[in-house]
Amino acid sequence: MDNLFSDRIADVPRSFIREILKVAIDPSVISFAGGLPNRNLFPVAELRAAANRVFDTVGQEALQYANSEGLLGLREYISHRYREKQGLEISPDNILITNGSQQGLDLLGKTFLNRGDDVIIEEPGYLGAIQALSLYRARFHPVPITDDGMAMDRLREVLATRKPKLMYLVPNFQNPAGITYTDQNREAVAELVQGRNILLVEDDPYRELRFTGTHQTSFRKLLPDQAILLGSFSKIIAPGLRLGWVAAPARIMPKLIVAKQASDLHSNHFAQRLIWQYLADNDIDSHIRTIVQVYSRQQQSMVRGIKTYLPATVGHTHPAGGMFIWLTLPQGISSKRLFDLAIQDKVAFVPGSPFYVDRLETDTLRLNFSCVDEETIGIGMQRLGRAVEKLLEQVNG
Amino acid sequence: MDNLFSDRIADVPRSFIREILKVAIDPSVISFAGGLPNRNLFPVAELRAAANRVFDTVGQEALQYANSEGLLGLREYISHRYREKQGLEISPDNILITNGSQQGLDLLGKTFLNRGDDVIIEEPGYLGAIQALSLYRARFHPVPITDDGMAMDRLREVLATRKPKLMYLVPNFQNPAGITYTDQNREAVAELVQGRNILLVEDDPYRELRFTGTHQTSFRKLLPDQAILLGSFSKIIAPGLRLGWVAAPARIMPKLIVAKQASDLHSNHFAQRLIWQYLADNDIDSHIRTIVQVYSRQQQSMVRGIKTYLPATVGHTHPAGGMFIWLTLPQGISSKRLFDLAIQDKVAFVPGSPFYVDRLETDTLRLNFSCVDEETIGIGMQRLGRAVEKLLEQVNG
């Protein structure tokens, strides 16, 4: 039987990450490879109570089909929180509930991208976005990021020669690099993009996980007509419920809703009721403070580990929040080679290549600190230090 | 700002059904317009108990990210049920959990269709399939269905002149027509398709809702290498949990899983655990018997209503299960005109046109009997009878 696959799917490889996570699942391995929130912090008892309340008060309703936009009450909650926390005025009508922000990306690809359309993406960039938009045959134009945000000269070059439809950014505690765009960088990006025929997709799942410093301005405020916000409950409540949202300019919503309807009719109705009930009955800010305290301590432990066990020639970012630190190895040595040695020493991470659109080898890697306790992080970093040492000996020997 | 929308989304209209359901929401209207299962039959107490058990035993796990394929235990359950109920051997490895079968359709479009690829669809056909596959720019070739199944001469014609990649069928208690393919028709279809480079998509959400007669053979048995089964818990447990599955030949699974991963990483993990727990703790066959008893009585009430209140010139199907009856009006008169009159008489249905790929006016319409009790069905059919009478007077007067 001949090949029936579509062009879009034919040459997408299975996620490299999946293979890594398989290795990292060995319980003797200390894994900094995942991208998961810490399950010990999931509000299990509170969600259980909320679930019972949903069953008792609106059980039949919550188990029935619902509208494609998502539960109005939940969209009102999100709208209210944007106003309260960020001074953003976003009507519930301009919010669409999705299966995590991953589905938001898929719907944006479906709604905007024809084959070969130009898309700007960060380098390194979120691999879920690379995968989702690849399937709509985006032509990616990576723009490097620094500690401050986008590399403006490269962004100017791309905008001078290309007509990108979408520009995908994670400006707060970026995945994978952990960096946060400064206000100055945001303003420079916004000024350059303003008025062009381009939508800026601001993926913002980590914003509430800030350890130090103050919040920067959302692109949605700087570019109200051009910025599309992606949000998620995955990092502040629980990812297994698969709920996130897209907040977009009004003119885009009808088509986004059609895309959602064609994709799966609507997101899990019960889960929407459950999260809405949980938010009504609990102090989410207090819960977020708990997460922040734990992640912050773990991040500090990882930074101490870097300073103690890694040679000073290994570069690293200084995340003020989120879940990730990004390392750059000296002398351009391969992080995949390091991975092989590290696994022998029972410590895992993600080599940088899946975060680039076009590289098989890189000298960079991602460390996750959300799922490992402080003490174990120290042990893991010591192991990583040994592996780096061995690799440098091999390279220089 | 210029139009940035993709070609695929630019010309998809918002669902006509949505507008109809808005009218039908008036509580004084008796609605045969929906396609919903009856919420009074949702096992709320049993799902509540199962949810508590999930929270108590695997709470953290169920709230964490999970794999894209779906919960292994649930896939094993589905595999086992196929063996037990239909004698089908389908490995759990060849089952992918999706957000209802609607997402199954979306993933099949994503995995197989390039712009302009030929797709065979029933006429009338399931509008969710028309919408999902339209977004991948399928070129539809409708094949009429009769009380026995596909119109074989038209199917032969299409296969003689076209190279369809996909062929989409709902062989049991079809939506919208309510008909079921005979075994003879299935065998004729299978013989024609066998060995061609074409995948037959057998969407089977209603199979368990049989009121009378015996089950027919699945296309999966007749065409093991070419048939893809879509299944769903929506009609036998509850649709708000958005869980269904795709069961496909092994060679297709890796690409389908990539498509799923890019679309939303995985389906709601908690909901998968919840349904699996519910299935472990309850006798689903006994629950299905209850649904069947209720729907069967309501279907009989609707058929009595047709015979009592509608002129004999109105044609109707004789569903042996499912949720729908299909009417054909005499003299080719418009079911949209009838809809306008019926709404004045406070009864609603879905005019036929959204179930065709290319018609704005039809003389057909869909009646749903799952959500209205027997007595109210009688009243509704009396109202519909009056509306038909008025319309015939207008047409003939």
Side-chain angles (χ1 to χ4, degrees):
Chain A
M1 185 162 283
D2 295 348
N3 173 36
L4 284 172
F5 292 116
S6 64
D7 297 336
R8 80 177 69 78
I9 201 88
D11 48 18
V12 174
R14 249 176 108 135
S15 167
F16 176 59
I17 292 277
R18 288 171 69 101
E19 310 311 315
I20 285 173
L21 294 180
K22 268 182 208 159
V23 179
I25 217 164
D26 171 355
S28 71
V29 169
I30 296 175
S31 178
F32 304 134
L36 312 183
N38 191 325
R39 68 174 66 196
N40 298 329
L41 301 171
F42 294 159
V44 177
E46 292 82 357
L47 285 168
R48 183 188 194 277
N52 281 304
R53 199 157 303 174
V54 170
F55 279 118
D56 292 342
T57 56
V58 287
Q60 290 183 351
E61 172 73 20
L63 294 168
Q64 187 56 287
Y65 283 113
N67 68 37
S68 300
E69 292 88 336
L71 189 65
L72 180 59
L74 188 59
R75 291 184 286 126
E76 286 170 345
Y77 177 93
I78 294 164
S79 168
H80 179 261
R81 196 167 172 87
Y82 273 131
R83 184 179 309 115
E84 187 186 70
K85 294 283 172 186
Q86 302 194 55
L88 294 174
E89 291 296 332
I90 301 178
S91 157
D93 291 343
N94 297 329
I95 294 171
L96 169 69
I97 303 292
T98 58
N99 308 331
S101 18
Q102 184 71 25
Q103 190 184 41
L105 284 165
D106 180 60
L107 298 180
L108 291 174
K110 204 173 230 180
T111 303
F112 293 109
L113 296 184
N114 293 321
R115 174 185 191 144
D117 277 348
D118 293 315
V119 171
I120 291 176
I121 192 156
E122 296 160 316
E123 181 179 86
Y126 173 52
L127 68 94
I130 295 172
Q131 193 183 33
L133 301 181
S134 286
L135 279 177
Y136 295 98
R137 320 218 76 192
R139 180 188 299 191
F140 290 112
H141 300 281
V143 173
I145 49 174
T146 68
D147 282 342
D148 294 336
M150 288 226 125
M152 292 305 297
D153 40 352
R154 177 64 190 143
L155 179 59
R156 272 188 213 97
E157 262 176 48
V158 173
L159 290 176
T161 55
R162 294 288 172 181
K163 297 255 177 224
K165 274 186 172 178
L166 300 181
M167 173 164 172
Y168 173 81
L169 312 177
V170 186
N172 291 315
F173 322 129
Q174 199 248 12
N175 183 355
I179 63 107
T180 293
Y181 290 40
T182 62
D183 267 332
Q184 200 182 5
N185 187 268
R186 287 168 202 242
E187 283 156 22
V189 169
E191 195 182 336
L192 210 52
V193 167
Q194 170 85 50
R196 286 181 200 257
N197 202 27
I198 177 172
L199 294 165
L200 186 150
V201 182
E202 179 176 16
D203 192 359
D204 203 18
Y206 309 110
R207 181 178 189 279
E208 311 246 29
L209 306 182
R210 173 175 282 283
F211 313 148
T212 58
T214 52
H215 288 297
Q216 277 77 25
T217 310
S218 164
F219 278 105
R220 175 74 186 212
K221 185 159 260 171
L222 301 172
L223 293 166
D225 294 332
Q226 288 175 261
I228 296 174
L229 263 167
L230 300 182
S232 175
F233 293 111
S234 292
K235 308 304 186 289
I236 58 172
I237 300 178
L241 298 172
R242 307 301 306 117
L243 286 181
W245 63 90
V246 184
R251 69 187 186 285
I252 290 168
M253 295 307 295
K255 296 295 187 195
L256 266 186
I257 292 167
V258 166
K260 171 68 179 169
Q261 190 176 35
S263 295
D264 59 4
L265 301 183
H266 62 83
S267 288
N268 190 304
H269 188 184
F270 178 79
Q272 294 183 67
R273 292 266 174 194
L274 172 57
I275 284 202
W276 190 36
Q277 186 72 53
Y278 167 83
L279 291 166
D281 297 346
N282 294 274
D283 178 355
I284 183 75
D285 290 311
S286 157
H287 178 62
I288 291 169
R289 278 194 296 276
T290 305
I291 300 173
V292 164
Q293 278 165 17
V294 173
Y295 287 10
S296 171
R297 283 200 304 267
Q298 291 173 183
Q299 188 258 16
Q300 289 166 40
S301 175
M302 188 166 271
V303 170
R304 276 196 307 275
I306 291 171
K307 291 186 173 155
T308 311
Y309 301 113
L310 299 189
T313 49
V314 175
H316 69 94
T317 55
H318 305 75
M323 296 173 20
F324 304 107
I325 295 181
W326 186 248
L327 299 190
T328 306
L329 300 175
Q331 308 172 39
I333 57 179
S334 157
S335 58
K336 279 189 185 167
R337 281 183 67 183
L338 179 62
F339 180 82
D340 293 337
L341 289 172
I343 279 294
Q344 290 171 21
D345 274 331
K346 304 287 184 191
V347 63
F349 56 82
V350 181
S353 64
F355 304 103
Y356 298 78
V357 298
D358 53 4
R359 295 200 203 163
L360 292 175
E361 285 286 356
T362 68
D363 55 0
T364 51
L365 59 99
R366 189 186 77 176
L367 297 177
N368 164 261
F369 53 78
S370 56
C371 289
V372 186
D373 67 60
E374 290 171 73
E375 196 188 327
T376 312
I377 285 176
I379 301 169
M381 293 308 293
Q382 194 169 11
R383 294 181 186 175
L384 186 61
R386 272 202 301 272
V388 170
E389 205 175 313
K390 279 187 212 162
L391 182 57
L392 287 174
E393 277 168 19
Q394 285 183 10
V395 170
N396 299 325
Chain B
M1 186 161 283
D2 296 348
N3 173 38
L4 284 172
F5 292 117
S6 64
D7 297 336
R8 79 177 69 78
I9 201 88
D11 48 17
V12 174
R14 248 175 108 135
S15 167
F16 176 58
I17 292 278
R18 289 170 69 101
E19 311 310 315
I20 285 173
L21 294 180
K22 269 183 207 161
V23 179
I25 217 165
D26 171 355
S28 71
V29 169
I30 296 175
S31 178
F32 304 135
L36 312 181
N38 191 324
R39 69 174 65 195
N40 297 328
L41 301 171
F42 294 159
V44 178
E46 293 81 357
L47 286 168
R48 183 186 192 280
N52 281 309
R53 199 157 303 174
V54 170
F55 279 117
D56 293 342
T57 56
V58 288
Q60 290 183 351
E61 172 74 20
L63 294 169
Q64 187 57 286
Y65 283 113
N67 67 37
S68 300
E69 293 87 335
L71 189 66
L72 179 59
L74 188 59
R75 291 184 284 126
E76 285 171 344
Y77 177 94
I78 294 164
S79 167
H80 179 260
R81 196 166 172 87
Y82 273 130
R83 184 179 309 115
E84 187 186 69
K85 295 285 173 184
Q86 302 193 55
L88 294 174
E89 291 297 332
I90 301 178
S91 157
D93 291 342
N94 297 328
I95 295 171
L96 168 69
I97 303 292
T98 58
N99 308 329
S101 16
Q102 184 70 26
Q103 191 184 40
L105 284 165
D106 180 60
L107 298 179
L108 292 174
K110 203 173 230 179
T111 303
F112 293 109
L113 296 184
N114 293 321
R115 175 185 190 142
D117 277 348
D118 293 315
V119 171
I120 292 176
I121 193 157
E122 297 161 314
E123 181 180 82
Y126 172 51
L127 65 94
I130 296 172
Q131 192 182 33
L133 302 180
S134 286
L135 278 177
Y136 296 97
R137 322 219 75 192
R139 179 187 298 191
F140 290 112
H141 300 281
V143 172
I145 49 174
T146 68
D147 282 342
D148 294 335
M150 289 226 124
M152 292 304 298
D153 40 355
R154 177 64 191 142
L155 179 59
R156 270 186 214 98
E157 262 176 48
V158 174
L159 290 176
T161 55
R162 294 288 172 180
K163 297 254 176 226
K165 274 186 172 177
L166 300 181
M167 174 165 173
Y168 174 80
L169 311 177
V170 186
N172 292 316
F173 322 128
Q174 198 248 12
N175 182 355
I179 64 107
T180 293
Y181 291 38
T182 62
D183 267 333
Q184 201 183 5
N185 188 268
R186 287 168 201 242
E187 283 157 21
V189 168
E191 196 183 335
L192 210 53
V193 167
Q194 170 85 51
R196 286 180 200 259
N197 201 29
I198 176 171
L199 294 165
L200 186 149
V201 182
E202 178 177 17
D203 192 359
D204 203 18
Y206 310 110
R207 180 178 190 279
E208 312 246 29
L209 306 183
R210 172 173 285 281
F211 313 148
T212 58
T214 52
H215 288 297
Q216 276 78 25
T217 310
S218 164
F219 278 106
R220 174 75 186 212
K221 185 158 259 170
L222 301 172
L223 293 166
D225 293 332
Q226 289 174 262
I228 296 174
L229 262 167
L230 300 182
S232 175
F233 292 111
S234 292
K235 309 304 186 290
I236 58 172
I237 300 179
L241 298 172
R242 308 302 306 116
L243 286 181
W245 63 89
V246 184
R251 69 187 186 286
I252 290 169
M253 294 307 295
K255 297 294 187 194
L256 265 186
I257 291 166
V258 166
K260 171 67 180 169
Q261 190 175 35
S263 295
D264 59 4
L265 302 182
H266 62 82
S267 289
N268 190 304
H269 188 184
F270 179 79
Q272 294 183 67
R273 292 265 175 195
L274 173 57
I275 284 201
W276 190 36
Q277 187 71 53
Y278 167 83
L279 290 165
D281 297 346
N282 293 274
D283 178 355
I284 184 73
D285 290 310
S286 157
H287 177 63
I288 291 170
R289 278 194 295 276
T290 305
I291 300 174
V292 163
Q293 279 165 17
V294 173
Y295 288 9
S296 171
R297 283 200 304 265
Q298 291 173 182
Q299 187 258 15
Q300 289 167 40
S301 175
M302 187 165 273
V303 170
R304 275 197 307 276
I306 291 170
K307 291 188 173 153
T308 310
Y309 301 113
L310 300 187
T313 49
V314 175
H316 69 94
T317 55
H318 305 75
M323 296 174 19
F324 305 107
I325 296 181
W326 186 248
L327 300 190
T328 305
L329 300 175
Q331 307 171 40
I333 57 181
S334 157
S335 57
K336 280 190 184 165
R337 282 183 67 184
L338 179 63
F339 180 81
D340 293 336
L341 289 172
I343 279 294
Q344 290 171 22
D345 274 332
K346 304 288 184 190
V347 63
F349 57 81
V350 182
S353 63
F355 304 104
Y356 298 78
V357 298
D358 54 3
R359 296 198 203 164
L360 293 175
E361 285 286 355
T362 68
D363 55 359
T364 51
L365 60 99
R366 188 187 77 176
L367 298 176
N368 164 260
F369 53 78
S370 57
C371 289
V372 186
D373 68 60
E374 290 172 74
E375 197 188 327
T376 312
I377 285 176
I379 301 168
M381 293 308 293
Q382 195 170 9
R383 293 180 186 174
L384 186 61
R386 273 202 301 272
V388 169
E389 206 175 310
K390 278 186 212 163
L391 182 58
L392 287 174
E393 277 167 20
Q394 285 182 10
V395 169
N396 298 325

